[in-house]
């Protein structure tokens, strides 16, 4: 199992969160830190290993922070294609931030819109997509469904 982590330890609270997540992972898992270059991390993972990308939400935030909004969709397509082309499963974790109220500030609205596009790109390249709410999986369809 390969765990691709997109979080960056920028403050004490995030350092603690990352440490907590690392402690929960089995020791035999390999962790690849990829706050920006997700396609490279996916390409570098052993092709027979199941990969978990955690998470697209932080990855988008990292890219937006560097004012790379115009490059995020092409980078998402590249990474999603890498994931879809792997012989072993790739599981991408993301948040759905567009189901609530429209944020009051411009950056939050931009983030919500860009993340929504990234989630759609990954779903378009996925064999299967699901929304998980309160630990319950709701299928969003499969490749065969045209989802």
């Amino acid at each position: 199992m390969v765990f691709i982590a997109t979080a960056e330890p920028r403050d004490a609270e995030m350092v603690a969160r990352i440490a907590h997540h690392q402690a929960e992972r089995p020791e035999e898992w390999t962790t690849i830190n990829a706050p920006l270059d997700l396609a490279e991390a996916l390409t570098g993972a052993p092709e027979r290993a199941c990969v978990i990308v955690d998470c697209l939400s932080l990855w988008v935030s990292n890219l937006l922070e560097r004012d790379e909004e115009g490059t995020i969709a092409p980078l998402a397509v590249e990474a999603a294609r890498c994931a879809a082309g792997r012989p072993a499963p790739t599981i991408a974790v993301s948040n759905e931030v567009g189901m609530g109220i429209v944020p009051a500030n411009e950056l939050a609205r931009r983030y919500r819109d860009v993340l929504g596009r990234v989630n759609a790109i990954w779903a378009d390249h996925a064999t299967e997509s699901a929304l998980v709410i309160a630990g319950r999986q709701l299928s969003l369809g499969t490749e065969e469904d045209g989802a």
Side-chain angles (χ1 to χ4, degrees):
M1 181 71 70
V2 174
F3 189 92
I4 298 177
T6 62
E8 293 183 291
R10 296 185 182 175
D11 58 35
E13 188 266 340
M14 194 54 126
V15 167
R17 282 179 178 267
I18 291 170
H20 176 76
H21 282 275
Q22 289 171 334
E24 289 182 325
R25 282 183 228 141
E27 286 184 26
E28 63 272 10
W29 286 19
T30 300
T31 298
I32 299 173
N33 292 307
L36 299 172
D37 200 342
L38 198 47
E40 181 181 328
L42 287 160
T43 303
E47 67 177 33
R48 299 279 178 224
C50 179
V51 170
I52 297 173
V53 176
D54 190 12
C55 70
L56 296 178
S57 310
L58 284 173
W59 179 68
V60 166
S61 177
N62 295 340
L63 291 171
L64 266 181
E65 183 178 64
R66 287 161 176 82
D67 199 31
E68 297 183 29
E69 182 177 348
T71 64
I72 295 174
L75 290 172
V77 169
E78 179 186 15
R81 283 183 179 154
C82 289
R86 299 184 71 256
T90 300
I91 302 161
V93 177
S94 190
N95 293 297
E96 174 51 64
V97 297
M99 295 176 75
I101 62 170
V102 176
N105 73 69
E106 188 266 340
L107 177 59
R109 288 190 301 274
R110 263 188 29 217
Y111 174 74
R112 184 181 81 154
D113 293 346
V114 172
L115 181 58
R117 284 192 290 280
V118 167
N119 287 344
I121 288 166
W122 273 73
D124 285 345
H125 287 82
T127 304
E128 182 179 348
S129 297
L131 178 66
V132 179
I133 299 174
R136 304 291 180 165
Q137 179 179 314
L138 306 170
S139 177
L140 299 179
T142 64
E143 222 172 23
E144 293 79 33
D145 298 335

